[in-house]
């Protein structure tokens, strides 16, 4: 809502230099879309609102992006039901829930918020994403064991914890059927697949022309797009954006129809409750979009950015995980030490299960 937009505009401006760059341009916007736009259309709509807000102060966001700026977007939608009752302490401002670290505002120490932690952590990707829009989830902090790898020449890429293509037995041992996955072919192109077993996955790979899959891993969902792809998507969905109608998510409505054959895509979407007619129509629309885009730019549509298999992933979007991850800060293993470094907690200054 507008109240939270104003709060974050002020707060993130005040914490520049501690959370983001000192000269970062902060543009907080809220989604006024009946029923929600989904994180696909929601990304496009948020960009249009941020662009308009920037223009009010004489900033051309499109021009900045074309000229090499790295733009990051943080989705914080939702009422925080899974984190209840904690958001209630922040006037139902879910990303405003506090974590064990401090920032200084006007000479006063205040606790770091979940969103500020995410902004701080994901900033390490900025230098490798010039002329790209990066999209992150506002309640998950991850420390990539593979480092912050730069985006390549694919117009879209997704963060994933990649590993060698496993055997059927290894697939089951790693529990890969429980995750949305990214598969990377030998030519570097990627495919998005839903939660599937080994046999289904290998059939999908072959049907999609992925005959030499080198790596597979769980997707983190966070993605980035080139300026060219962003502007093309804005044009493709301009009618939905103008009417504020529809609900599309990035995985099932962008990346999957752009990388899966029609039959396989339709089967997956029918299992998710979409009619076959609707799935076919959307797939045809996205294939036409891809062909027109490739004719003007390139056919390198989707790639994977590996975060590493030993990545620390701290989810603060659920009450149980919030509790578990905050307890880690006082533990004695390597992950706990990394967490203390990230949050600036002094070693030896962490008391656990104390009595007063």
């Amino acid at each position: 809502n507008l109240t939270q937009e104003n709060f974050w505009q002020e707060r993130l401006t005040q914490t520049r230099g501690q959370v983001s760059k000192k000269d970062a341009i902060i543009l907080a916007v809220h989604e006024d879309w009946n029923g929600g736009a989904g994180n696909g259309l929601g990304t496009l709509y948020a960009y249009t609102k941020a662009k308009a807000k920037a223009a009010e102060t004489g900033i051309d966001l499109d021009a900045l992006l074309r000229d090499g700026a790295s733009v990051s977007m943080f989705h914080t939608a939702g009422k925080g039901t899974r984190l209840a009752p904690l958001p209630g302490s922040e006037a139902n401002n879910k990303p405003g829930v506090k974590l064990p670290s401090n920032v200084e505002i006007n000479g006063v120490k205040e606790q770091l918020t979940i969103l500020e932690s995410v902004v701080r952590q994901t900033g390490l990707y900025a230098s490798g994403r010039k002329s790209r829009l990066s999209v992150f989830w506002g309640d998950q902090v991850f420390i990539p064991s593979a480092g912050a790898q730069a985006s390549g020449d694919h117009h879209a890429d997704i963060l994933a914890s990649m590993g060698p293509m496993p055997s059927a037995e290894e697939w089951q041992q790693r529990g890969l059927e429980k995750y949305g996955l990214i598969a990377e072919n030998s030519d570097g192109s990627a495919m998005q697949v839903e939660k599937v077993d080994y046999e289904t996955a290998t059939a999908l790979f072959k049907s999609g022309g992925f005959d030499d899959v080198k790596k597979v891993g769980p997707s983190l969902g966070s993605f980035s797009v080139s300026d060219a792809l962003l502007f093309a998507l804005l044009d493709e969905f301009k009618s939905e954006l103008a009417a504020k109608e529809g609900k599309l998510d990035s995985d099932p409505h962008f990346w999957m129809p752009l990388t899966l054959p029609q039959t396989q895509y339709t089967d997956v979407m029918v299992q998710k409750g979409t009619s076959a007619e609707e799935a076919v129509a959307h797939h045809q629309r996205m294939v036409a979009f891809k062909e027109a885009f490739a004719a003007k730019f390139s056919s390198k549509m989707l790639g994977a950015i590996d975060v590493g298999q030993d990545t620390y992933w701290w989810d603060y979007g659920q009450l149980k995980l919030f509790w578990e991850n905050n307890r880690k800060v006082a533990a004695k293993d390597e992950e706990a030490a990394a967490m203390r470094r990230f949050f600036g907690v002094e070693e030896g200054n962490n008391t656990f299960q104390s009595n007063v």
Side-chain angles (χ1 to χ4, degrees), residues 100 143 312 314 316 324-350:
I143 310 299
Y312 298 139
W314 307 323
Y316 296 102
E324 291 176 354
N325 285 320
N326 273 323
R327 285 165 60 93
K328 287 179 182 177
V329 78
K332 300 184 182 301
D333 56 19
E334 289 186 6
E335 182 176 2
M339 180 177 280
R340 288 191 289 273
R341 287 195 298 272
F342 177 77
F343 285 117
V345 177
E346 295 180 10
E347 288 294 334
N349 189 25
N350 39 83

Side-chain angles (χ1 to χ4, degrees), residues 251-260 265 282-283 286-287 290:
D251 286 352
H253 298 112
F254 290 173
W255 318 134
M256 286 171 58
L258 289 173
T259 59
L260 288 177
Y265 174 73
H282 184 72
H283 188 273
M286 295 307 292
V287 167
K290 180 171 67 173

Side-chain angles (χ1 to χ4, degrees), residues 20-62:
S20 59
K21 289 177 61 179
K22 289 183 179 180
D23 59 350
I25 298 171
I26 306 299
L27 299 165
V29 298
H30 72 284
E31 184 179 285
D32 52 344
W33 188 298
N34 187 31
N39 62 44
L41 280 180
T43 294
L44 303 181
Y45 185 58
Y47 183 86
T48 63
K49 294 197 71 174
K51 175 182 172 180
K53 188 170 186 176
E56 293 175 0
T57 58
I59 297 172
D60 186 336
L61 194 55
D62 285 354

